[in-house]
Amino acid sequence: ILDQTENKLHGLLMRVESKKAEDGRSVGFFDGNAVVEVPRSKMLNPALSAFTLEAEVRADGDGVIIARGGRN
């Protein structure tokens, strides 16, 4: 996933399945184990500065859209 800003904090797709949407577009299918991993950055800390996340989502159930955390 390419960061379209000058920050270049590109995301890495992990365990995302590629599928075709009904309209023919290629879409990523997130099964509950798939993630987009983005490098840690002070620019993405909401306590320090505002940021915008844009996603087109069609949910099949409950889940998390954005989270900050992990092993690092």
Side-chain angles (χ1 to χ4, degrees), residues 7-39:
N7 301 319
K8 304 301 179 207
L9 296 171
H10 306 305
L12 175 64
L13 293 172
M14 300 173 69
R15 298 179 298 277
V16 177
E17 184 180 345
S18 181
K19 291 190 172 188
K20 287 281 187 190
E22 293 175 5
D23 63 5
R25 295 182 300 153
S26 292
V27 297
F29 179 75
F30 290 70
D31 64 0
N33 296 307
V35 298
V36 177
E37 189 170 290
V38 178

Side-chain angles (χ1 to χ4, degrees), residues 47-70:
L48 300 176
S49 63
F51 64 90
T52 301
L53 172 75
E54 182 177 333
E56 184 178 332
V57 178
R58 187 181 79 192
D60 290 335
D62 292 339
V64 176
I65 303 299
I66 183 172
R68 184 171 186 265

